[in-house]
Amino acid sequence: MTLKQILQTNTWSTILPVFLKTYPEAEENIKGYQTVFEKLVIMSPEENDMSIVITKEKDGEDEYIDVSGVHKNPKNEEGTYSQAIEFTPWREWLGMDINKETSNDFSGLEIIVHCLYEMTFVGFTEEVIQEKINRIEKSRKERESMTKAERDATAISAEELFKEWLDENND
């Protein structure tokens, strides 16, 4: 079953209570999530070689949900590992199969909620997400031309970067 098929068997009114229970902090942006859901329902999926994997993870005392993708037919060793998919075009998300273990461990509604949350982690439109990708690529190219000392002086942690992105989305 693909993400698109799961989306088509549900409505926003059935998703909303599960979303708010799972991610109560998302309530302030709930209209954004609803808009994305409505776009996804009418969007055509694009076939690809990835399956969506959702797992419960633990980091010390903290528990969290990890959403990633895994290649069904990996071309190299790296392809056998879970891949970050938050920057993946939404049409590709829609065409992804749901990993069997994920289907066993999570309900269809939970899968939708976790995928929506991950898909919109850096923005509520694909244009905003593409702008972030472009900024990352530009920064990467700029860093390549720097000396090690210059790179070290301008480095920020991933936590700081994600906080910056979240702050931008909440403005």
Side-chain angles (χ1 to χ4, degrees):
M1 180 171 283
T2 66
L3 179 59
K4 176 68 175 192
Q5 291 167 323
I6 294 174
L7 285 167
Q8 290 179 313
T9 61
N10 289 280
T11 63
W12 181 250
S13 62
T14 60
I15 295 165
L16 180 59
V18 177
F19 203 107
L20 292 174
K21 181 179 179 196
T22 307
Y23 296 107
E25 71 280 7
E27 185 171 9
E28 66 188 52
N29 294 315
I30 206 66
K31 287 289 185 201
Y33 294 107
Q34 180 178 359
T35 301
V36 171
F37 170 78
E38 290 167 354
K39 284 181 186 177
L40 296 173
V41 169
I42 60 172
M43 195 179 277
S44 298
E46 187 175 297
E47 275 190 48
N48 61 66
D49 180 51
M50 303 271 304
S51 292
I52 295 171
V53 177
I54 302 174
T55 56
K56 293 178 184 175
E57 300 293 332
K58 200 166 187 173
D59 183 15
E61 294 296 313
D62 296 329
E63 289 187 13
Y64 64 95
I65 298 295
D66 182 61
V67 179
S68 61
V70 66
H71 289 281
K72 294 183 277 189
N73 300 298
K75 294 175 178 43
N76 55 38
E77 185 180 347
E78 183 179 313
T80 64
Y81 300 110
S82 293
Q83 309 288 313
I85 56 175
E86 62 269 15
F87 291 113
T88 302
W90 292 350
R91 289 182 189 282
E92 290 181 32
W93 275 84
L94 293 173
M96 290 182 194
D97 292 327
I98 307 301
N99 171 277
K100 184 176 176 141
E101 290 80 21
T102 297
S103 294
N104 291 338
D105 294 343
F106 296 90
S107 71
L109 288 172
E110 291 170 323
I111 291 169
I112 291 169
V113 165
H114 294 306
C115 287
L116 273 173
Y117 195 78
E118 187 76 8
M119 294 169 84
T120 58
F121 188 72
V122 294
F124 287 93
T125 68
E126 288 190 285
E127 294 77 19
V128 167
I129 295 168
Q130 187 59 52
E131 288 172 15
K132 305 264 179 165
I133 293 169
N134 294 344
R135 281 182 34 207
I136 291 169
E137 183 62 21
K138 181 181 176 198
S139 293
R140 185 190 64 77
K141 287 179 180 177
E142 288 172 355
R143 290 182 58 77
E144 284 177 350
S145 66
M146 293 179 176
T147 65
K148 181 178 177 352
E150 290 171 326
R151 284 193 301 270
D152 291 346
T154 61
I156 66 170
S157 72
E159 286 179 6
E160 291 171 311
L161 180 62
F162 287 137
K163 183 182 180 321
E164 182 180 307
W165 285 348
L166 290 172
D167 290 344
E168 287 175 9
N169 287 339
N170 291 327
D171 290 340

